[in-house]
Amino acid sequence: MTTEPAQKALTAVDIIRFYEQFVKDWENYHNVRLQEEQTKHEVEMAQQALQMAAYLQQVDTFLDIIAGHFEQTDAFLNGLKQTQAVGTAVAKTREAMLRDEIAGLRKLVVDIKASSGALTPVPALSAEKRAEDEPLQALPSPAQENRKKAKARTISAMTQRFILNDASKSADTIKGTKTTLDLFIEAFGDLPVSQVTGTTAGDFHDLLLGLPATHGKSKNRLPIRKAVEAAKEQGLETVSGKTVKNHFSRLSSLWSVLMQREIVAKNPWAQWSFNTAKKTERRCWTDEELSVLTQAPWEHRGISRRTYAGMVNVALYTGLRLGEICNLRCQDIENVQGVACFHVRPHPKDGWSPKSAAGTRLVPIHSQLIKAGIMSFLKPEQHFLFPDLLTSSEGVRGAAFGQAFSKLKTKLDLPAEITFHSFRHTVSTKLRNQHASFRELWIDRVLGHEASHRSQGTMNYTSSIDVQNLKNVIEALEFPTFKLDIPES
């Protein structure tokens, strides 16, 4: 006979423990569920972030693609606008020419009618009566009219009208065009543009290649054909292919305008090939050559040694072009975010502008340049930084300085491979050989070059960090043998 074990009676303590454990289990369950929901929410948020990032990437890609189309559309519209403007100008010119021809024809008809009335048969007159009559005036022949029109369309008249009278042309373009025009007229005379053919262009091409390189640089120069003969007989160095190309380019630009206006049928100056290889390879200044230059005396009546020293210092510690230095104004020295800078920019009132759009820039002033005394050139009510530089008859400021510097270099027996422009080459080479981590974009900005790495983006040079980067680039320039002090005024 078996007996069932007696069940232990539950006490109050057991019941309390049971409920305490129940509450703990319920709290754990609740916490697990809460953690699960938070994890689920974080996953959803991460998915949304990924989707948003993918969407933004698609938007960026779309904007990059559409930006290119916008640029093409804008270029197309601008080209269409220019074409329309040119077409309108041509149409107006043709209309004016047709009106002139109609007026001439009307006058011709009236003159013919008047002449026919005067030539109506009349009774014979006596010899004495005929002697008293005035002789009949002959009408101008078509050949005479053509000669008058050709005279009005000579190469000098067309150049004056479409190039020299164009206010938008630079001083260098005007000067170069005048030189080319003088050479052509001296060689072939002031021909009507309709008579200039490919044969004429070829003869001019051959003639220019035979000219001595020094032609036009002395007061007592030989006539062009005799100069070619002398160069051939004496074995003189002749002009470069690049110079001939420049002459042809100026004439080709003129003929392009004439073709648009239908004054000529074709351009005989286009599609010529030239050997533009440099005869003298320009190079940088060496330390020894800079030392020779700093010890050399400067002798020029119109340009002070103070100006000479200031310009050479600026060239070597900034890399500015000669034209940019000559046209610096006192107001072009600015303080940008605590950094003293040269602000190279267009001067509309002075008719000067940098070589290209990239030439408009800020160039921090080197501490050595400030120490040398460049700031002493700033004077109240003074326009240009170097006021004793004059503007030539062709409108080029500082042309006399360039010639004087070239003479000084020759006097010092310095090689032809170095020029004033070699200061700029020296700066460029120094900066690109620096061990510092300078970005190419910073160096291009300092020198006014088009950015060689467009993918890096375009910097706004007025921001403080960018100006400081440019300042660091400039301060990397060191020339231990160059000690050209700027005299006090």
Side-chain angles (χ1 to χ4, degrees):
M1 180 175 178
T2 59
T3 59
E4 295 180 355
Q7 293 183 349
K8 183 181 181 181
L10 294 175
T11 65
V13 175
D14 293 334
I15 295 172
I16 292 172
R17 288 175 180 175
F18 171 79
Y19 278 105
E20 285 178 350
Q21 185 63 39
F22 177 78
V23 171
K24 289 181 181 180
D25 291 343
W26 177 256
E27 287 180 350
N28 290 337
Y29 171 77
H30 179 72
N31 290 335
V32 169
R33 290 290 297 169
L34 182 62
Q35 184 66 33
E36 181 182 350
E37 291 297 327
Q38 288 179 347
T39 303
K40 183 179 178 181
H41 178 69
E42 290 176 357
V43 170
E44 290 176 350
M45 292 297 294
Q47 290 176 343
Q48 291 181 2
L50 289 174
Q51 292 175 354
M52 180 59 70
Y55 172 74
L56 292 177
Q57 181 64 35
Q58 291 177 352
V59 171
D60 289 341
T61 303
F62 171 77
L63 291 177
D64 290 340
I65 295 174
I66 202 67
H69 290 290
F70 280 147
E71 291 179 358
Q72 293 177 0
T73 303
D74 185 58
F76 170 76
L77 291 176
N78 288 334
L80 190 62
K81 183 178 180 181
Q82 293 177 359
T83 302
Q84 182 181 7
V86 171
T88 301
V90 171
K92 289 182 179 180
T93 302
R94 293 185 64 184
E95 180 181 355
M97 294 174 64
L98 288 173
R99 290 185 183 277
D100 292 342
E101 291 182 6
I102 291 172
L105 289 173
R106 285 178 178 172
K107 184 177 182 303
L108 183 61
V109 171
V110 172
D111 291 342
I112 291 174
K113 288 182 178 180
S115 299
S116 62
L119 293 174
T120 303
V122 295
L125 300 176
S126 63
E128 293 180 0
K129 187 70 175 177
R130 288 196 302 271
E132 295 174 358
D133 290 342
E134 292 293 332
L136 293 174
Q137 297 293 328
L139 292 174
S141 66
Q144 290 175 324
E145 292 292 335
N146 290 336
R147 282 196 294 270
K148 289 182 179 179
K149 186 179 291 186
K151 186 176 181 180
R153 293 182 175 179
T154 58
I155 187 172
S156 63
M158 295 293 96
T159 303
Q160 186 68 43
R161 178 181 175 186
F162 298 117
I163 304 296
L164 305 184
N165 289 345
D166 190 347
S168 66
K169 302 297 183 184
S170 66
D172 288 341
T173 299
I174 298 297
K175 178 182 178 182
T177 302
K178 286 181 178 179
T179 301
T180 302
L181 179 64
D182 292 342
L183 287 172
F184 182 88
I185 293 178
E186 183 180 357
F188 303 100
D190 196 3
L191 294 177
V193 292
S194 59
Q195 295 182 16
V196 177
T197 64
T199 301
T200 312
D203 292 342
F204 193 44
H205 173 274
D206 298 339
L207 195 63
L208 290 175
L209 286 177
L211 269 179
T214 57
H215 184 74
K217 297 181 180 180
S218 60
K219 295 181 179 180
N220 301 321
R221 64 181 182 88
L222 294 173
I224 185 170
R225 298 187 185 277
K226 290 186 178 180
V228 171
E229 294 177 1
K232 185 176 181 181
E233 293 175 358
Q234 302 174 22
L236 302 177
E237 180 184 0
T238 57
V239 299
S240 65
K242 182 178 179 181
T243 300
V244 179
K245 181 180 180 180
N246 290 339
H247 287 305
F248 269 57
S249 178
R250 296 170 192 135
L251 293 171
S252 182
S253 297
L254 171 62
W255 251 255
S256 295
V257 178
L258 300 180
M259 286 179 65
Q260 285 181 336
R261 296 174 177 268
E262 297 185 353
I263 297 175
V264 295
K266 61 180 181 179
N267 186 350
W269 306 102
Q271 298 182 349
W272 287 83
S273 59
F274 306 89
N275 180 11
T276 57
K278 293 183 179 180
K279 295 184 177 181
T280 302
E281 189 68 25
R282 306 300 181 191
R283 63 168 175 80
C284 303
W285 290 79
T286 65
D287 291 341
E288 292 76 12
E289 290 162 349
L290 288 176
S291 177
V292 170
L293 183 66
T294 58
Q295 299 173 15
W298 172 260
E299 299 175 357
H300 193 282
R301 294 181 179 179
I303 302 173
S304 66
R305 178 176 177 80
R306 173 176 165 79
T307 293
Y308 156 73
M311 292 181 65
V312 173
N313 271 277
V314 170
L316 196 57
Y317 284 104
T318 65
L320 292 182
R321 300 176 177 91
L322 177 59
E324 294 171 342
I325 298 173
C326 293
N327 286 279
L328 281 175
R329 301 168 299 179
C330 290
Q331 68 185 70
D332 291 333
I333 294 182
E334 298 180 358
N335 188 304
V336 181
Q337 301 295 332
V339 178
C341 300
F342 291 121
H343 192 173
V344 183
R345 54 187 167 178
H347 305 167
K349 293 183 179 180
D350 297 329
W352 180 86
S353 61
K355 187 176 181 180
S356 64
T360 300
R361 63 197 188 279
L362 289 176
V363 181
I365 302 177
H366 199 291
S367 58
Q368 184 62 36
L369 197 53
I370 296 176
K371 182 179 179 181
I374 192 63
M375 294 303 184
S376 65
F377 285 88
L378 291 173
K379 303 290 184 182
E381 307 300 325
Q382 179 176 297
H383 186 62
F384 287 104
L385 190 64
F386 302 110
D388 53 352
L389 297 179
L390 300 178
T391 301
S392 67
S393 58
E394 291 80 14
V396 180
R397 178 172 171 78
F401 176 86
Q403 296 173 359
F405 185 84
S406 180
K407 290 181 180 178
L408 172 64
K409 186 175 66 70
T410 303
K411 184 177 180 180
L412 297 175
D413 291 328
L414 292 173
E417 291 83 359
I418 54 173
T419 63
F420 190 91
H421 196 74
S422 295
F423 290 128
R424 181 172 170 82
H425 291 313
T426 304
V427 171
S428 178
T429 302
K430 282 268 189 181
L431 293 179
R432 298 184 196 281
N433 287 337
Q434 288 292 329
H435 295 298
S437 57
F438 294 147
R439 294 170 61 187
E440 286 289 322
L441 189 63
W442 301 348
I443 299 175
D444 289 337
R445 178 55 57 86
V446 166
L447 296 175
H449 289 157
E450 293 291 342
S452 57
H453 301 287
R454 294 184 180 274
S455 61
Q456 297 181 18
T458 302
M459 296 193 305
N460 179 4
Y461 59 67
T462 58
S463 65
S464 59
I465 185 171
D466 293 336
V467 173
Q468 189 59 52
N469 286 336
L470 301 182
K471 175 70 173 176
N472 293 337
V473 171
I474 284 294
E475 289 297 331
L477 293 171
E478 294 181 357
F479 304 99
T481 63
F482 181 80
K483 300 185 184 300
L484 183 58
D485 296 329
I486 300 176
E488 296 180 0
S489 59

